[in-house]
Amino acid sequence: MKVFSLLGSRYFPEFSLIFILFEIMFYILTGFNRDFIIVSGVTFMLLSILLSILTERRERAVKKIKAVIKGINRNEFSSPEEIVLEGSLHDLELEIRKMYNKMRSDIEYLKKLEKIRTEFLANVSHELRTPIFTIQGYLETLLNGAMDDPSVNTMFLKKAIRHTGNLSNLLNDLIDISMIESGQMKMTFVHFKVDEFMQNIIKEFTPLAASKGLELRDNTIREGLQLYADKPKLKQVLGNLIQNAIKYTERGKIELIVEEEEKSAKIIVRDSGIGISTEDTQRIFERFYRVDKTRSREIGGTGLGLAIVKHIVEAHGSKIEVNSEINKGTEFSFRLRK
Ligand code: ADP
């Protein structure tokens, strides 16, 4: 049986050719000895059987490997343990299992990315639609006669203008997010004097805080203290945190604190505002997540500010943290290297 199956074997022609050449050579070398023909014939038979066994075993293994690969492509396995090859192929079995695990986690990751992308697109469309429809509504009302009504015309125009402001904030934040996430955000780190930098920030945002009757203050910072950061990006982070603090605080004060440590400094923005619940603090850094959607939109929020802050702080090798208590206040903090 084995001999016959050898006839179908892939190596039979090569094997026969080499054997016949040896046969002729030995026949000549043994002085045309007829017994040699018998011995060599039997040897040929035995070697054929051996070759046949080896070939069949190898082909069975290749067939099994092919079946496993096909099974992976057709998603027939639900766990790597279902991939089994015969004992001598144990190493290959381990490698295929590893490849299977990697493929599955890559696919999961791609699916997750696709879901995030779709959700992001849906959110962007929704966020863009809201101010555009509102502006359109005011303009149409004005055109349909309100333009000649002095009791509402200026108010409608002011509201329309306010929504163009929201639209522009949203577009700016979207540009920032896309620059950050496509890896195009260029960082330029320098050592800078912290006290001067913080005082300028306080000066810039004091009028906004004062417009709500809030006090904005910083702590005493050691004169020579220098930190290492990208200054414009750091200004964007602090600006965002301070603006949020002002937005979500009705009375009290907002503090910008620098606590010097051995090799770094902790930067804290603390307010005495409405606070954030524990569940919400887990989600506020997600894109478009707002605790109170209507209120955030009303006061010109985009829901992207903290997502941008988180990215920038992480690009400084740090981590943004939040501590908050409802109706007591909120504290955002991160560290910068000296
Ligand atoms: P928004 O543009 O809506 O302010 P952010 O990403 O900056 O978006 O903030 C996300 C949400 O986190 C806000 O909608 C708000 O609910 C909450 N939040 C942020 N900062 C504060 C704060 N200092 N006090 C209370 N809530 C805050």
Side-chain angles (χ1 to χ4, degrees):
M1 280 295 280
K2 300 265 184 226
V3 183
F4 293 126
S5 78
L6 177 69
L7 293 176
S9 154
R10 197 167 297 185
Y11 304 109
F12 187 71
E14 291 91 337
F15 176 70
S16 311
L17 186 69
I18 292 169
F19 192 84
I20 289 165
L21 286 175
F22 266 101
E23 182 105 329
I24 294 168
M25 202 174 77
F26 277 107
Y27 191 50
I28 295 166
L29 287 175
T30 52
F32 306 101
N33 183 346
R34 279 179 186 213
D35 291 344
F36 176 76
I37 296 288
I38 296 162
V39 174
S40 63
V42 172
T43 313
F44 179 70
M45 291 269 284
L46 292 174
L47 284 177
S48 300
I49 291 167
L50 187 67
L51 179 68
S52 161
I53 293 168
L54 291 176
T55 309
E56 208 176 273
R57 196 181 282 171
R58 187 189 155 282
E59 276 177 1
R60 216 184 314 129
V62 170
K63 234 187 230 167
K64 179 72 191 161
I65 295 168
K66 266 190 198 160
V68 163
I69 291 172
K70 261 190 198 159
I72 293 176
N73 283 335
R74 288 185 192 146
N75 282 329
E76 282 169 8
F77 301 111
S78 52
S79 82
E81 286 68 38
E82 287 175 20
I83 298 172
V84 182
L85 296 178
E86 62 186 61
S88 63
L89 296 173
H90 181 67
D91 285 351
L92 183 63
E93 180 187 286
L94 290 182
E95 286 306 316
I96 294 180
R97 283 183 182 186
K98 261 194 230 160
M99 187 188 82
Y100 171 81
N101 277 335
K102 164 106 179 32
M103 231 170 83
R104 273 203 0 183
S105 65
D106 284 354
I107 290 170
E108 285 304 311
Y109 177 67
L110 287 175
K111 275 188 190 159
K112 213 171 114 191
L113 279 188
E114 179 57 24
K115 192 166 166 268
I116 292 173
R117 199 184 67 90
T118 317
E119 276 173 14
F120 183 64
L121 256 173
N123 276 326
V124 169
S125 320
H126 179 74
E127 295 295 333
L128 284 172
R129 209 174 48 188
T130 312
I132 290 174
F133 277 12
T134 316
I135 295 165
Q136 199 178 17
Y138 284 126
L139 295 181
E140 272 171 10
T141 317
L142 282 165
L143 278 178
N144 290 337
M147 203 154 53
D148 302 319
D149 180 350
S151 67
V152 288
N153 56 9
T154 314
M155 182 181 71
F156 284 178
L157 278 174
K158 277 186 180 162
K159 286 195 172 179
I161 278 283
R162 189 161 59 79
H163 284 280
T164 61
N166 290 355
L167 200 56
S168 143
N169 289 345
L170 177 63
L171 288 176
N172 285 334
D173 281 357
L174 280 173
I175 291 169
D176 278 350
I177 277 277
S178 76
M179 292 279 275
I180 290 168
E181 296 194 352
S182 60
Q184 288 179 58
M185 182 177 65
K186 299 266 173 299
M187 305 289 290
T188 314
F189 291 94
V190 289
H191 276 105
F192 65 96
K193 281 191 170 171
V194 186
D195 57 347
E196 225 174 85
F197 182 82
M198 295 300 175
Q199 272 156 27
N200 284 337
I201 292 205
I202 294 283
K203 244 187 239 159
E204 188 174 332
F205 290 98
T206 295
L208 186 64
S211 70
K212 278 187 81 179
L214 301 168
E215 185 194 349
L216 173 62
R217 66 177 188 212
D218 59 351
N219 64 333
T220 321
I221 301 164
R222 181 168 65 82
E223 212 185 303
L225 177 63
Q226 293 211 357
L227 289 175
Y228 190 61
D230 178 311
K231 278 169 77 181
K233 301 279 185 322
L234 177 62
K235 191 172 166 215
Q236 189 178 354
V237 165
L238 293 174
N240 211 306
L241 295 177
I242 292 172
Q243 275 170 317
N244 272 353
I246 297 173
K247 274 197 274 183
Y248 301 104
T249 303
E250 294 313 322
R251 70 182 85 84
K253 59 178 186 288
I254 287 128
E255 292 168 283
L256 175 58
I257 300 161
V258 178
E259 277 176 6
E260 191 175 350
E261 296 168 344
E262 199 188 334
K263 289 184 177 161
S264 59
K266 190 173 176 186
I267 317 285
I268 305 166
V269 176
R270 185 183 291 153
D271 66 52
S272 53
I274 59 170
I276 311 166
S277 73
T278 315
E279 302 110 67
D280 286 320
T281 53
Q282 327 268 333
R283 304 202 52 194
I284 48 171
F285 297 102
E286 289 174 21
R287 297 178 302 196
F288 295 117
Y289 187 82
R290 289 126 151 173
V291 178
D292 180 344
K293 274 195 192 326
T294 324
R295 179 175 176 158
S296 160
R297 282 208 195 94
E298 267 307 300
I299 50 184
T302 63
L304 289 172
L306 286 180
I308 295 171
V309 164
K310 181 171 182 269
H311 275 297
I312 297 179
V313 169
E314 283 173 1
H316 280 79
S318 187
K319 192 171 177 285
I320 180 103
E321 292 186 26
V322 54
N323 269 307
S324 188
E325 214 178 310
I326 293 284
N327 294 329
K328 285 259 167 68
T330 306
E331 182 181 295
F332 285 93
S333 64
F334 56 95
R335 284 187 167 77
L336 287 179
R337 271 190 292 145
K338 276 186 184 171

